Each structure stands twice: as structure tokens, then as C-alpha cells.
Amino acid sequence: MLTTNYIELEEEYGAHNYDPLDVVLERGEGVWVYDTEGKRYLDCLSAYSALNQGHCHPKILNATVEQAWKLTLTSRAFRNTQLPQLYEDLHRLTGFDMALPMNSGTEAVETAIKAARKWGAVVKGIPENHAEIIVCSNNFHGRTIAVVSFSSEEQYRQDFGPFMPGFKTIPFGDSAALRAAITTNTCAFLVEPIQGEAGILIPPAGFLAECAAICRENNVLLMCDEIQSGLGRTGKMFAFEHEGIRPDVVTIGKALSGGFYPVSAVLASRDVLGLFQPGDHGSTFGGNPLACAIARAALSVIVEERLAERSAELGPFFLAEIEKIKSPMIRGVRGRGLWIALELNEPARPYCVALMKEGILCKETHGNIIRLAPPLTITHDEILWAVERIRRVVGTADIR
Ligand code: PLP
């Protein structure tokens, strides 16, 4: 089939809830992907940080195939050999007492919300149906009805009401607003340590630490959504570590499978996750042996290949190289680890198309921001290769 045929089929029979670049990918290896005509591209999006380990990592691939030959799904009606081992790996790696496995990131967030409400009712004594969760403006936690109920993005909510009550929004980065918003019915504060979808927005230094203290003083759970920022992306295993804090609840997903399968989880203390009783919550696929074997391999790659450390080493180098590009089109550059936002003075989409022609895949976010988030396995030379092309497109070329 020709490239145009794939695009036509997708446009004809698929819902148009995405606006992909017109590149049809067929194969991937490490930081590289190949289209149907064999052209090679450097992946600078990593499926929104799900591919921190790179495409088709051999160790995760082997774990997938080995487990797929043995057993893929038991449902949680029965036990399997992989789930307890994933629990143990997560506990050893993160220090959290317990985990609750799900599939998509959004489901992990939904699960965290349920856990917080349950804790609010059972432990804090919040009257039934009165629990409040505080969130931040510009948040992105997924697309289900409960989650878009507290989105501040007009399009995410337009025509999808009625919405879920029980959420209050404060400005991202404003800890005084958090203090002011807390009531006796507040069970949790849900926050991305760095807002990815909003354009890699880094809050003022000290914000998370102040929030952690405010939550502790007021008996409110601090819940960090690390679905995009976690598992090495920012140069630490978790982005909250940059502020030396320890949240009560953490959601992870994306790179938890290295891109092989949807795997997510909620991590928390026994005081919180220990409250779930049989029948309170579940998922047919959550915690299945294939997902768990994949997640175990994906986590071991992050550790063995020192991906967080690589991100800490190579991120500042990449950022400094991007900062050297002088162009009236650039409004600003920021980043943490291998997670860089290049904010332009005009719509970023044509630049992403031009970068694609140069062999770099990235995607605009919020109109004028280009997010650069390559697999954490990227090398120094590959970064220089990318910078040369980014300079060509953003620095000089007339792309219109
Ligand atoms: N939370 C954050 C911070 C995210 O970045 C995302 C996805 O981009 C999600 C939740 C939703 O994850 P998923 O698309 O796997 O449902």
C-alpha cells in the first residue's frame, strides 16, 4: 500500500480526534523510526514520554514474547506469577508500600481520585459526597469525563458536560492559593510536578515543597501525577525528587511499559491503598501477567541503562545547544532533563512539518510550543545531529 492509501483509510474510517503529521511509520529501533518508504526519522516525542527506553527495546521485547508464549491474561479472579514480582520491583525501586495496577494513565488518575475520596471518607471523616480535590490550572491528567471535569482547557470540555463535581482549581505554581482553597472537606491536592501537555511548565522553585508542607499541616493527601514526568524523563526517577519531597500518592504510566503495552499504576502508602476492599475497584486487564512482565523489564532497563542519569547529563547539553540558536521566531526555551520546550512567536505546526522533512519527528503543543522529548537512550552525537536540523528550520529557513 502507498503512504497516501494509509492516510486516506485513516481519514475515511477513523474518528478525527487527532491531527497527526502525515508520516506513516512502519518500524522503530532505539531513537529512530522508519516510514513506509524507508525514510529514517529521529523520534523527538517518544510517544509523549512512553518510549523513554527507545523503540522496541530488545530486553522488553524478549520479556513480551516470552510471557506471551506462557500466559497473557488471568483477570484478577485468579493470581498470576508476574503481578507479585512487579509489586516487589515497584516497592524496591520507589519505596512506596503498595501499588494498584491499571492500563492507561487516565485510569491511574481515576483510581487515585477514588483512593483519595475513599481515604477522605474513611480516615479523614469527610461526609459522604462532600470530598473536594484541588487541582491546578493548565493541568492535563487525561480525557475521561471525571478527568476533563477539572480541565481548564475549553476544548477538552466543550459539549461533553455534565461534569463531575468535587474539584477546585488553583493557579499552577501558587502555593498560597492552595492554602486558601483547602477546607475541612479537602481530601487531596493533585498536581503534575512539571506540566507536560501545558508546554513543559516548570513551577517556581519551592512550590512543590511548600505544597507538601501545606498538605501535611492540613491532613490533605499530596498526589503527584508522574505519568509523563516520571521514570527518568526529568533527570530523576520522579520529578518530585527535584524538590526533595515525598507525595502520598503517585500515578505512573507511559514508560512503565517502554511503549509495548498500556500499563499504569497508582503507588501509595498502606494507609491509602490498604483501604480498598474486594469489589471496590477493578479492571479486566489491569495487572495481567503480560503487562506485568513488560513493566518489570521496562523498569529494569531504566535502572540498568541509567536512563534518569543520562537524562540529567544530556538534558542540559541539549538545552544549551538549543539556547544557542538565535532567531526572532524563538520566544523562549526551557526544560528539565531531556524534556525541552521550544516556544515560538508563531504557530509551531509548520515548523514541526519542516522538521519532519529534515528527519526529526516532534509535535506542537498549545499552538506555538514544540516539545522535544527524545528517548532517554539518545546519544551526544544524535543530539548534535538534531540540533543542526532544528537550527536549520527554526533559526533561518523560511518554512512558509
Ligand atoms: N497524566 C499526565 C500527566 C499525562 O501526561 C497523560 C498523558 O499524556 C495522562 C495523565 C493520560 O495518560 P493516558 O493517555 O495513558 O491515558
Side-chain angles (χ1 to χ4, degrees), residues 182-242:
I182 290 175
T183 71
T184 48
N185 289 337
T186 307
C187 59
F189 173 50
L190 170 65
V191 63
E192 296 155 87
I194 294 174
Q195 291 186 325
E197 291 309 296
I200 313 184
L201 297 185
I202 304 170
F207 169 65
L208 269 189
E210 286 156 23
C211 291
I214 293 167
C215 287
R216 206 173 318 115
E217 280 166 35
N218 290 280
N219 197 23
V220 165
L221 298 176
L222 174 62
M223 306 206 293
C224 286
D225 183 345
E226 292 266 7
I227 287 165
Q228 193 166 156
S229 57
L231 304 180
R233 175 53 59 186
T234 68
K236 302 257 186 205
M237 184 56 84
F238 292 114
F240 65 71
E241 291 172 39
H242 291 287

Short mmCIF file of all heavy atoms in Angstrom, two decimals, residues 182-242:
data_model
loop_
_atom_site.label_atom_id
_atom_site.label_comp_id
_atom_site.label_asym_id
_atom_site.label_seq_id
_atom_site.Cartn_x
_atom_site.Cartn_y
_atom_site.Cartn_z
N ILE A 182 -8.01 25.14 50.64
CA ILE A 182 -8.27 23.95 51.46
C ILE A 182 -9.41 24.21 52.46
O ILE A 182 -9.46 25.26 53.10
CB ILE A 182 -6.97 23.52 52.20
CG1 ILE A 182 -5.96 22.96 51.19
CG2 ILE A 182 -7.26 22.49 53.30
CD1 ILE A 182 -4.59 22.61 51.78
N THR A 183 -10.31 23.24 52.54
CA THR A 183 -11.37 23.29 53.57
C THR A 183 -11.31 21.97 54.36
O THR A 183 -10.50 21.09 54.04
CB THR A 183 -12.78 23.40 52.94
OG1 THR A 183 -13.09 22.14 52.32
CG2 THR A 183 -12.87 24.51 51.92
N THR A 184 -12.20 21.83 55.31
CA THR A 184 -12.19 20.58 56.08
C THR A 184 -12.62 19.39 55.20
O THR A 184 -12.41 18.24 55.56
CB THR A 184 -13.16 20.68 57.28
OG1 THR A 184 -14.41 21.19 56.79
CG2 THR A 184 -12.62 21.58 58.36
N ASN A 185 -13.21 19.68 54.04
CA ASN A 185 -13.63 18.61 53.13
C ASN A 185 -12.58 18.27 52.07
O ASN A 185 -12.84 17.45 51.19
CB ASN A 185 -14.94 19.00 52.43
CG ASN A 185 -16.10 18.98 53.39
OD1 ASN A 185 -16.06 18.30 54.42
ND2 ASN A 185 -17.16 19.73 53.07
N THR A 186 -11.43 18.93 52.12
CA THR A 186 -10.41 18.65 51.10
C THR A 186 -9.71 17.33 51.44
O THR A 186 -9.14 17.18 52.52
CB THR A 186 -9.36 19.79 51.05
OG1 THR A 186 -10.05 21.03 50.88
CG2 THR A 186 -8.40 19.57 49.90
N CYS A 187 -9.75 16.41 50.48
CA CYS A 187 -9.04 15.15 50.73
C CYS A 187 -7.69 15.11 50.03
O CYS A 187 -6.78 14.42 50.50
CB CYS A 187 -9.90 13.93 50.34
SG CYS A 187 -10.40 13.88 48.62
N ALA A 188 -7.53 15.84 48.90
CA ALA A 188 -6.26 15.71 48.18
C ALA A 188 -5.97 16.92 47.31
O ALA A 188 -6.88 17.68 46.93
CB ALA A 188 -6.30 14.47 47.30
N PHE A 189 -4.69 17.08 47.02
CA PHE A 189 -4.21 18.04 46.03
C PHE A 189 -3.52 17.23 44.94
O PHE A 189 -2.59 16.48 45.22
CB PHE A 189 -3.24 19.03 46.69
CG PHE A 189 -2.56 19.97 45.72
CD1 PHE A 189 -3.29 20.69 44.78
CD2 PHE A 189 -1.17 20.14 45.75
CE1 PHE A 189 -2.65 21.56 43.88
CE2 PHE A 189 -0.54 21.00 44.87
CZ PHE A 189 -1.28 21.71 43.94
N LEU A 190 -4.03 17.34 43.71
CA LEU A 190 -3.48 16.57 42.59
C LEU A 190 -2.70 17.51 41.69
O LEU A 190 -3.24 18.52 41.21
CB LEU A 190 -4.64 15.94 41.80
CG LEU A 190 -4.30 15.28 40.46
CD1 LEU A 190 -3.39 14.06 40.66
CD2 LEU A 190 -5.59 14.85 39.74
N VAL A 191 -1.43 17.17 41.43
CA VAL A 191 -0.58 18.10 40.67
C VAL A 191 0.44 17.35 39.82
O VAL A 191 0.94 16.29 40.22
CB VAL A 191 0.12 19.09 41.65
CG1 VAL A 191 1.06 18.36 42.61
CG2 VAL A 191 0.86 20.20 40.93
N GLU A 192 0.72 17.88 38.64
CA GLU A 192 1.88 17.42 37.86
C GLU A 192 3.08 18.23 38.36
O GLU A 192 3.02 19.47 38.32
CB GLU A 192 1.68 17.73 36.37
CG GLU A 192 0.53 17.03 35.69
CD GLU A 192 0.05 17.84 34.48
OE1 GLU A 192 0.59 17.66 33.39
OE2 GLU A 192 -0.87 18.67 34.64
N PRO A 193 4.15 17.60 38.77
CA PRO A 193 5.31 18.36 39.25
C PRO A 193 5.84 19.32 38.19
O PRO A 193 6.30 20.42 38.50
CB PRO A 193 6.34 17.27 39.58
CG PRO A 193 5.53 16.06 39.85
CD PRO A 193 4.34 16.14 38.94
N ILE A 194 5.78 18.90 36.94
CA ILE A 194 6.05 19.78 35.79
C ILE A 194 4.92 19.50 34.82
O ILE A 194 4.61 18.33 34.55
CB ILE A 194 7.42 19.45 35.15
CG1 ILE A 194 8.56 19.80 36.13
CG2 ILE A 194 7.59 20.20 33.82
CD1 ILE A 194 9.95 19.40 35.66
N GLN A 195 4.29 20.55 34.30
CA GLN A 195 3.13 20.32 33.41
C GLN A 195 3.60 20.06 31.98
O GLN A 195 4.09 20.98 31.31
CB GLN A 195 2.18 21.51 33.46
CG GLN A 195 1.48 21.64 34.82
CD GLN A 195 0.43 22.74 34.81
OE1 GLN A 195 0.59 23.77 34.16
NE2 GLN A 195 -0.64 22.53 35.56
N GLY A 196 3.45 18.81 31.55
CA GLY A 196 3.95 18.40 30.24
C GLY A 196 3.10 18.91 29.10
O GLY A 196 3.58 19.65 28.23
N GLU A 197 1.81 18.55 29.10
CA GLU A 197 0.95 18.93 27.98
C GLU A 197 0.79 20.44 27.88
O GLU A 197 0.57 20.98 26.80
CB GLU A 197 -0.43 18.26 28.10
CG GLU A 197 -0.42 16.77 27.91
CD GLU A 197 0.30 16.35 26.65
OE1 GLU A 197 -0.14 16.67 25.54
OE2 GLU A 197 1.36 15.69 26.77
N ALA A 198 0.88 21.11 29.01
CA ALA A 198 0.74 22.57 29.00
C ALA A 198 1.94 23.24 28.34
O ALA A 198 1.93 24.45 28.12
CB ALA A 198 0.55 23.09 30.42
N GLY A 199 2.99 22.46 28.08
CA GLY A 199 4.16 23.02 27.40
C GLY A 199 5.42 22.99 28.26
O GLY A 199 6.25 23.89 28.19
N ILE A 200 5.55 21.92 29.06
CA ILE A 200 6.70 21.76 29.96
C ILE A 200 6.83 23.01 30.84
O ILE A 200 7.84 23.72 30.82
CB ILE A 200 7.99 21.42 29.19
CG1 ILE A 200 7.68 20.30 28.17
CG2 ILE A 200 9.11 21.01 30.13
CD1 ILE A 200 8.85 19.78 27.40
N LEU A 201 5.79 23.28 31.59
CA LEU A 201 5.79 24.42 32.50
C LEU A 201 6.38 23.98 33.84
O LEU A 201 5.88 23.04 34.48
CB LEU A 201 4.37 24.95 32.71
CG LEU A 201 3.66 25.51 31.48
CD1 LEU A 201 2.30 26.11 31.86
CD2 LEU A 201 4.51 26.57 30.78
N ILE A 202 7.45 24.65 34.22
CA ILE A 202 8.15 24.31 35.46
C ILE A 202 7.71 25.32 36.52
O ILE A 202 7.86 26.53 36.31
CB ILE A 202 9.69 24.36 35.25
CG1 ILE A 202 10.07 23.42 34.09
CG2 ILE A 202 10.44 24.01 36.53
CD1 ILE A 202 11.50 23.55 33.61
N PRO A 203 7.16 24.87 37.64
CA PRO A 203 6.68 25.84 38.64
C PRO A 203 7.86 26.53 39.33
O PRO A 203 8.99 26.05 39.25
CB PRO A 203 5.90 24.96 39.63
CG PRO A 203 6.52 23.62 39.51
CD PRO A 203 7.00 23.48 38.09
N PRO A 204 7.59 27.64 40.02
CA PRO A 204 8.69 28.31 40.74
C PRO A 204 9.36 27.34 41.73
O PRO A 204 8.67 26.49 42.31
CB PRO A 204 7.99 29.43 41.51
CG PRO A 204 6.62 29.53 40.96
CD PRO A 204 6.30 28.27 40.24
N ALA A 205 10.68 27.49 41.90
CA ALA A 205 11.40 26.62 42.84
C ALA A 205 10.74 26.72 44.20
O ALA A 205 10.37 27.81 44.65
CB ALA A 205 12.86 27.05 42.91
N GLY A 206 10.57 25.60 44.85
CA GLY A 206 9.99 25.60 46.19
C GLY A 206 8.49 25.36 46.20
O GLY A 206 7.92 25.05 47.25
N PHE A 207 7.84 25.48 45.05
CA PHE A 207 6.38 25.33 45.00
C PHE A 207 5.94 23.97 45.56
O PHE A 207 5.09 23.88 46.46
CB PHE A 207 5.88 25.52 43.56
CG PHE A 207 4.44 25.13 43.34
CD1 PHE A 207 3.41 25.83 43.96
CD2 PHE A 207 4.10 24.06 42.52
CE1 PHE A 207 2.07 25.48 43.76
CE2 PHE A 207 2.77 23.69 42.32
CZ PHE A 207 1.75 24.39 42.94
N LEU A 208 6.54 22.91 45.04
CA LEU A 208 6.10 21.57 45.47
C LEU A 208 6.40 21.32 46.94
O LEU A 208 5.60 20.72 47.66
CB LEU A 208 6.79 20.49 44.65
CG LEU A 208 6.11 20.00 43.38
CD1 LEU A 208 6.85 18.80 42.85
CD2 LEU A 208 4.65 19.65 43.62
N ALA A 209 7.56 21.80 47.38
CA ALA A 209 7.93 21.61 48.79
C ALA A 209 6.93 22.35 49.69
O ALA A 209 6.50 21.82 50.73
CB ALA A 209 9.35 22.10 49.03
N GLU A 210 6.55 23.58 49.26
CA GLU A 210 5.56 24.33 50.06
C GLU A 210 4.22 23.60 50.06
O GLU A 210 3.56 23.50 51.09
CB GLU A 210 5.37 25.74 49.47
CG GLU A 210 6.54 26.67 49.75
CD GLU A 210 6.64 27.81 48.73
OE1 GLU A 210 5.62 28.14 48.09
OE2 GLU A 210 7.75 28.34 48.58
N CYS A 211 3.84 23.09 48.89
CA CYS A 211 2.56 22.36 48.80
C CYS A 211 2.59 21.12 49.71
O CYS A 211 1.59 20.80 50.37
CB CYS A 211 2.27 21.93 47.37
SG CYS A 211 1.91 23.33 46.30
N ALA A 212 3.74 20.43 49.71
CA ALA A 212 3.85 19.23 50.55
C ALA A 212 3.64 19.61 52.02
O ALA A 212 2.92 18.92 52.76
CB ALA A 212 5.21 18.57 50.34
N ALA A 213 4.24 20.72 52.43
CA ALA A 213 4.11 21.15 53.84
C ALA A 213 2.66 21.56 54.14
O ALA A 213 2.10 21.18 55.19
CB ALA A 213 5.06 22.32 54.11
N ILE A 214 2.04 22.29 53.22
CA ILE A 214 0.65 22.74 53.42
C ILE A 214 -0.27 21.52 53.52
O ILE A 214 -1.17 21.46 54.37
CB ILE A 214 0.22 23.69 52.28
CG1 ILE A 214 1.02 24.99 52.36
CG2 ILE A 214 -1.28 23.97 52.32
CD1 ILE A 214 0.93 25.87 51.12
N CYS A 215 -0.05 20.55 52.64
CA CYS A 215 -0.89 19.34 52.67
C CYS A 215 -0.73 18.61 54.01
O CYS A 215 -1.70 18.16 54.61
CB CYS A 215 -0.53 18.40 51.51
SG CYS A 215 -1.11 19.01 49.93
N ARG A 216 0.53 18.50 54.45
CA ARG A 216 0.78 17.79 55.72
C ARG A 216 0.09 18.50 56.88
O ARG A 216 -0.59 17.87 57.68
CB ARG A 216 2.29 17.67 55.96
CG ARG A 216 2.67 16.48 56.82
CD ARG A 216 4.18 16.27 56.91
NE ARG A 216 4.87 16.44 55.65
CZ ARG A 216 5.78 17.41 55.40
NH1 ARG A 216 6.09 18.29 56.33
NH2 ARG A 216 6.36 17.49 54.23
N GLU A 217 0.25 19.84 56.93
CA GLU A 217 -0.37 20.62 58.03
C GLU A 217 -1.89 20.44 58.06
O GLU A 217 -2.50 20.53 59.12
CB GLU A 217 -0.14 22.13 57.80
CG GLU A 217 1.21 22.64 58.20
CD GLU A 217 1.43 24.05 57.59
OE1 GLU A 217 0.46 24.82 57.47
OE2 GLU A 217 2.58 24.32 57.22
N ASN A 218 -2.49 20.27 56.89
CA ASN A 218 -3.96 20.25 56.80
C ASN A 218 -4.55 18.86 56.62
O ASN A 218 -5.74 18.73 56.31
CB ASN A 218 -4.40 21.15 55.64
CG ASN A 218 -4.16 22.62 55.93
OD1 ASN A 218 -4.93 23.25 56.64
ND2 ASN A 218 -3.05 23.14 55.44
N ASN A 219 -3.72 17.84 56.78
CA ASN A 219 -4.21 16.46 56.62
C ASN A 219 -4.87 16.26 55.25
O ASN A 219 -6.00 15.79 55.15
CB ASN A 219 -5.19 16.13 57.76
CG ASN A 219 -5.41 14.62 57.90
OD1 ASN A 219 -4.57 13.82 57.48
ND2 ASN A 219 -6.54 14.23 58.46
N VAL A 220 -4.13 16.67 54.22
CA VAL A 220 -4.59 16.54 52.84
C VAL A 220 -3.55 15.70 52.10
O VAL A 220 -2.34 15.89 52.30
CB VAL A 220 -4.71 17.97 52.20
CG1 VAL A 220 -4.82 17.89 50.68
CG2 VAL A 220 -5.88 18.72 52.80
N LEU A 221 -4.00 14.78 51.25
CA LEU A 221 -3.05 13.94 50.51
C LEU A 221 -2.43 14.73 49.37
O LEU A 221 -3.14 15.41 48.63
CB LEU A 221 -3.75 12.71 49.92
CG LEU A 221 -4.38 11.72 50.90
CD1 LEU A 221 -5.12 10.62 50.11
CD2 LEU A 221 -3.33 11.11 51.83
N LEU A 222 -1.12 14.60 49.22
CA LEU A 222 -0.44 15.18 48.06
C LEU A 222 -0.32 14.08 47.00
O LEU A 222 0.31 13.05 47.25
CB LEU A 222 0.95 15.71 48.44
CG LEU A 222 1.79 16.21 47.27
CD1 LEU A 222 1.14 17.40 46.56
CD2 LEU A 222 3.19 16.59 47.72
N MET A 223 -0.95 14.32 45.84
CA MET A 223 -0.92 13.30 44.78
C MET A 223 -0.19 13.88 43.57
O MET A 223 -0.64 14.88 42.98
CB MET A 223 -2.36 12.93 44.37
CG MET A 223 -3.23 12.49 45.54
SD MET A 223 -4.58 11.40 45.05
CE MET A 223 -5.61 12.47 44.08
N CYS A 224 0.93 13.27 43.22
CA CYS A 224 1.69 13.74 42.05
C CYS A 224 1.42 12.85 40.86
O CYS A 224 1.58 11.62 40.94
CB CYS A 224 3.19 13.74 42.37
SG CYS A 224 3.66 15.09 43.45
N ASP A 225 1.02 13.47 39.77
CA ASP A 225 0.84 12.74 38.52
C ASP A 225 2.17 12.74 37.78
O ASP A 225 2.60 13.77 37.24
CB ASP A 225 -0.27 13.40 37.68
CG ASP A 225 -0.54 12.63 36.39
OD1 ASP A 225 0.28 11.78 36.01
OD2 ASP A 225 -1.58 12.90 35.76
N GLU A 226 2.84 11.59 37.79
CA GLU A 226 4.16 11.45 37.17
C GLU A 226 4.07 10.60 35.89
O GLU A 226 5.05 9.99 35.48
CB GLU A 226 5.14 10.80 38.16
CG GLU A 226 5.47 11.69 39.36
CD GLU A 226 6.75 12.52 39.15
OE1 GLU A 226 7.30 12.51 38.04
OE2 GLU A 226 7.17 13.17 40.14
N ILE A 227 2.88 10.60 35.30
CA ILE A 227 2.67 9.75 34.13
C ILE A 227 3.59 10.16 32.98
O ILE A 227 4.14 9.32 32.28
CB ILE A 227 1.17 9.74 33.75
CG1 ILE A 227 0.41 8.91 34.79
CG2 ILE A 227 0.94 9.21 32.34
CD1 ILE A 227 -1.09 9.09 34.78
N GLN A 228 3.78 11.47 32.81
CA GLN A 228 4.68 11.93 31.75
C GLN A 228 6.05 12.35 32.30
O GLN A 228 7.07 12.15 31.65
CB GLN A 228 4.04 13.11 30.99
CG GLN A 228 4.74 13.44 29.71
CD GLN A 228 3.98 14.37 28.77
OE1 GLN A 228 4.58 15.03 27.95
NE2 GLN A 228 2.67 14.41 28.83
N SER A 229 6.07 12.89 33.51
CA SER A 229 7.33 13.42 34.04
C SER A 229 8.18 12.36 34.73
O SER A 229 9.38 12.58 34.93
CB SER A 229 7.02 14.54 35.05
OG SER A 229 6.18 14.06 36.09
N GLY A 230 7.57 11.22 35.05
CA GLY A 230 8.27 10.22 35.86
C GLY A 230 9.12 9.25 35.06
O GLY A 230 9.24 9.35 33.84
N LEU A 231 9.72 8.32 35.78
CA LEU A 231 10.51 7.23 35.21
C LEU A 231 11.68 7.74 34.35
O LEU A 231 11.94 7.24 33.26
CB LEU A 231 9.61 6.25 34.44
CG LEU A 231 8.44 5.67 35.28
CD1 LEU A 231 7.60 4.71 34.46
CD2 LEU A 231 8.96 4.96 36.54
N GLY A 232 12.34 8.76 34.89
CA GLY A 232 13.62 9.20 34.32
C GLY A 232 13.57 10.43 33.45
O GLY A 232 14.60 11.05 33.19
N ARG A 233 12.42 10.83 32.98
CA ARG A 233 12.33 11.89 31.96
C ARG A 233 13.04 13.18 32.37
O ARG A 233 13.70 13.82 31.56
CB ARG A 233 10.84 12.14 31.64
CG ARG A 233 10.51 13.26 30.71
CD ARG A 233 11.24 13.22 29.38
NE ARG A 233 11.03 12.04 28.56
CZ ARG A 233 11.69 11.80 27.42
NH1 ARG A 233 12.60 12.65 26.96
NH2 ARG A 233 11.46 10.69 26.74
N THR A 234 12.90 13.59 33.63
CA THR A 234 13.43 14.91 34.02
C THR A 234 14.84 14.85 34.61
O THR A 234 15.36 15.85 35.08
CB THR A 234 12.52 15.60 35.06
OG1 THR A 234 12.60 14.84 36.29
CG2 THR A 234 11.08 15.69 34.60
N GLY A 235 15.44 13.65 34.60
CA GLY A 235 16.78 13.53 35.17
C GLY A 235 16.78 12.92 36.56
O GLY A 235 17.84 12.76 37.18
N LYS A 236 15.62 12.61 37.07
CA LYS A 236 15.46 11.85 38.33
C LYS A 236 14.42 10.78 38.04
O LYS A 236 13.65 10.91 37.08
CB LYS A 236 14.92 12.73 39.45
CG LYS A 236 15.75 13.94 39.77
CD LYS A 236 16.54 13.72 41.03
CE LYS A 236 17.27 14.99 41.44
NZ LYS A 236 18.47 14.69 42.24
N MET A 237 14.35 9.78 38.90
CA MET A 237 13.32 8.76 38.67
C MET A 237 11.93 9.43 38.65
O MET A 237 11.11 9.16 37.79
CB MET A 237 13.41 7.68 39.76
CG MET A 237 12.45 6.54 39.57
SD MET A 237 12.61 5.70 37.97
CE MET A 237 13.93 4.59 38.31
N PHE A 238 11.71 10.32 39.63
CA PHE A 238 10.46 11.09 39.66
C PHE A 238 10.80 12.59 39.70
O PHE A 238 11.76 12.99 40.35
CB PHE A 238 9.65 10.74 40.91
CG PHE A 238 9.10 9.33 40.90
CD1 PHE A 238 9.54 8.39 41.82
CD2 PHE A 238 8.15 8.96 39.95
CE1 PHE A 238 9.04 7.10 41.81
CE2 PHE A 238 7.66 7.66 39.92
CZ PHE A 238 8.10 6.73 40.85
N ALA A 239 9.93 13.39 39.05
CA ALA A 239 10.18 14.83 39.03
C ALA A 239 10.06 15.45 40.42
O ALA A 239 10.70 16.45 40.72
CB ALA A 239 9.22 15.51 38.05
N PHE A 240 9.23 14.84 41.29
CA PHE A 240 9.08 15.43 42.63
C PHE A 240 10.38 15.38 43.42
O PHE A 240 10.58 16.14 44.36
CB PHE A 240 7.92 14.78 43.41
CG PHE A 240 8.08 13.32 43.74
CD1 PHE A 240 8.99 12.90 44.70
CD2 PHE A 240 7.29 12.36 43.12
CE1 PHE A 240 9.13 11.55 45.03
CE2 PHE A 240 7.42 11.01 43.43
CZ PHE A 240 8.34 10.60 44.39
N GLU A 241 11.30 14.49 43.03
CA GLU A 241 12.57 14.38 43.76
C GLU A 241 13.41 15.65 43.64
O GLU A 241 14.26 15.91 44.49
CB GLU A 241 13.39 13.20 43.23
CG GLU A 241 12.79 11.84 43.56
CD GLU A 241 13.53 10.72 42.85
OE1 GLU A 241 14.77 10.78 42.76
OE2 GLU A 241 12.86 9.80 42.36
N HIS A 242 13.17 16.45 42.59
CA HIS A 242 13.93 17.70 42.46
C HIS A 242 13.68 18.62 43.65
O HIS A 242 14.46 19.52 43.91
CB HIS A 242 13.55 18.43 41.16
CG HIS A 242 14.01 17.72 39.92
ND1 HIS A 242 15.32 17.68 39.52
CD2 HIS A 242 13.33 17.00 38.99
CE1 HIS A 242 15.43 16.99 38.40
NE2 HIS A 242 14.24 16.55 38.06
#
